[in-house]
Amino acid sequence: MRPSNPRVAPLVAYDPKSLPADTFISANESPYDMDPELKQKVLERLAALPFNRYPDPLAGKLRALIAQGYGLPGPDCVLLGNGGDELLMDLFLAYGGPERTLLNTPPTFSVNAYNALLTGTRVVDVPRKADFSLDEDAIMARAARGDIDLLVITSPNNPTGNVANVGFLRRLLESTDALVLVDEAYMEFADAGCSMTPYLGEYPNLLILRTFSKAYGLAGVRLGYVLGDPRVIRELGKVRQPYSVDSISQVLGEVVFADRTRYDARIRETRGERARLSAKLAALPRVRVFASQANFLLVRVPDAHAIWQDMYEQDSVLVRDFSATPGLEDCLRITVGSPQENDRFLQALCKQLDRRR
Ligand SMILES: *Cc1c(COP(=O)(O)O)cnc(C)c1O
């Protein structure tokens, strides 16, 4: 049997490290399913949907709705994808590839480094500082050399939770002709003024990623979008799978986006729980909790891997273990869940810390 493509053969498939657990706070999902009233609206629309027909290839209705929602000139500033993850791959197909270079800022979302390997894109790492903030001077200096084609800045960053400085991103966009993707998968949970969406008209090389998976609780549906200059969107359209966003997802997206203010209360609850959890964690001995603007918290605790395992085995509490990731030694990421889930986690963690006193 012939081996696979030499770029593919050495890779290890993405592993979400998902295990069944009573308290599943490991994947940054919303703790709540769709509001029953809204779900009913979706089900009624699905009942009228002809499943034998191909979907609208570019999800025109949803595209127009999103463009209008952000005050963009037209639907050609928006592109929908099968989750944000599909659009991240499209980005590498269209702007990466052999002879092309990505500037990455680890520790950050691992999917981009993976897509770079898969597409043969060269990666230049400009590591974050010890507190996980971006090394702004180093990024500016490296981009100024002129060989960077693509930068991905995740803000709020996954898994560290901190946001990029808007003033810095604007200076960067002004200083380079490289495409800058700002991945705002968690921006709904951040303070006002952290998003780059107000500057979309100002910088043709700015592209913003958003998703329905996190604040809008549709991780199971697979729906994300990018916002940007129509010339960039056109290039992404060339590499995209023609029917990747099925008609069912389009209906869900339309219903949720049209009613998105309904989600404000949940987002407020998550922000409140984040503050409560963060304060409790900060008060624990030997635990360091990093400031977060997302729906998760990164903590550093001695013996993190063993604590992760014991919390899972003894109390069926699953958080995400990052202790094997360079720069994230002894770090665990905890998704902010419902108040009950957060309490169960705190209890399980305290038990493990007590055992190790
Ligand atoms: C979750 C996530 C996404 C997108 O997820 P999808 O479910 O594919 O929409 C993108 N970027 C980051 C950093 C994420 O954490």
Side-chain angles (χ1 to χ4, degrees), residues 20 22 24 42 116 167 183 215 290 340:
D22 294 341
F24 187 88
V42 169
D183 182 343
F290 294 92
Q340 297 77 6

Side-chain angles (χ1 to χ4, degrees), residues 71-319:
L72 301 176
D76 54 353
C77 300
V78 181
L79 189 66
L80 273 296
N82 190 283
D85 286 347
E86 182 193 25
L87 295 161
L88 290 174
M89 177 51 97
D90 291 345
L91 185 71
F92 280 83
L93 292 173
Y95 285 87
E99 323 283 312
R100 309 274 295 185
T101 305
L102 162 77
L103 190 156
N104 202 25
T105 61
T108 186
F109 195 40
S110 63
V111 164
N112 298 305
Y114 186 91
N115 287 344
L117 283 174
L118 199 53
T119 54
T121 309
R122 188 166 77 105
V123 180
V124 168
D125 281 334
V126 178
R128 287 166 182 267
K129 297 181 178 175
D131 65 354
F132 303 126
S133 63
L134 292 168
D135 190 339
E136 298 180 352
D137 294 341
I139 294 171
M140 291 296 279
R142 191 58 192 79
R145 281 164 59 179
D147 61 338
I148 303 293
D149 299 290
L150 171 64
L151 294 94
V152 178
I153 307 280
T154 303
S155 178
N157 188 42
N158 179 8
T160 62
N162 56 315
V163 289
N165 182 300
V166 166
F168 163 69
L169 291 177
R170 296 185 66 186
R171 275 189 286 123
L172 176 66
L173 284 157
E174 269 156 31
S175 75
T176 178
D177 63 352
L179 185 65
V180 179
L181 175 83
V182 183
D183 182 343
E184 296 192 349
Y186 299 96
M187 193 52 86
E188 290 85 357
F189 300 107
D191 295 341
C194 294
S195 173
M196 288 300 286
T197 51
Y199 308 104
L200 276 166
E202 233 169 286
Y203 308 106
N205 54 336
L206 168 63
L207 191 68
I208 297 175
L209 180 78
R210 291 283 184 117
T211 179
F212 284 90
S213 295
K214 311 286 164 51
Y216 298 103
L218 293 186
V221 173
R222 313 309 304 132
L223 194 58
Y225 56 94
V226 282
L227 309 170
D229 187 282
R231 288 165 291 182
V232 175
I233 299 294
R234 184 190 62 207
E235 296 309 294
L236 295 173
K238 294 178 185 177
V239 300
R240 175 181 185 274
Q241 294 292 311
Y243 296 112
S244 64
V245 180
D246 60 77
S247 9
I248 296 173
S249 303
Q250 292 186 29
V251 166
L252 273 147
E254 287 165 27
V255 170
V256 167
F257 195 84
D259 223 346
R260 61 193 179 284
T261 54
R262 192 192 276 260
Y263 289 78
D264 291 352
R266 287 181 178 189
I267 293 168
R268 259 199 311 276
E269 184 198 87
T270 298
R271 286 169 54 91
E273 281 294 294
R274 177 179 72 199
R276 181 176 77 91
L277 200 52
S278 177
K280 295 247 176 166
L281 288 165
L284 294 175
R286 305 187 302 279
V287 175
R288 170 155 187 215
V289 56
F290 294 92
S292 171
Q293 295 272 10
N295 67 338
F296 55 81
L297 289 167
L298 190 76
V299 298
R300 181 166 267 152
V301 55
D303 215 10
H305 177 72
I307 289 181
W308 170 83
Q309 188 160 2
D310 289 347
M311 284 197 299
Y312 181 63
E313 286 170 4
Q314 296 171 23
D315 294 299
S316 194
V317 171
L318 187 73
V319 301

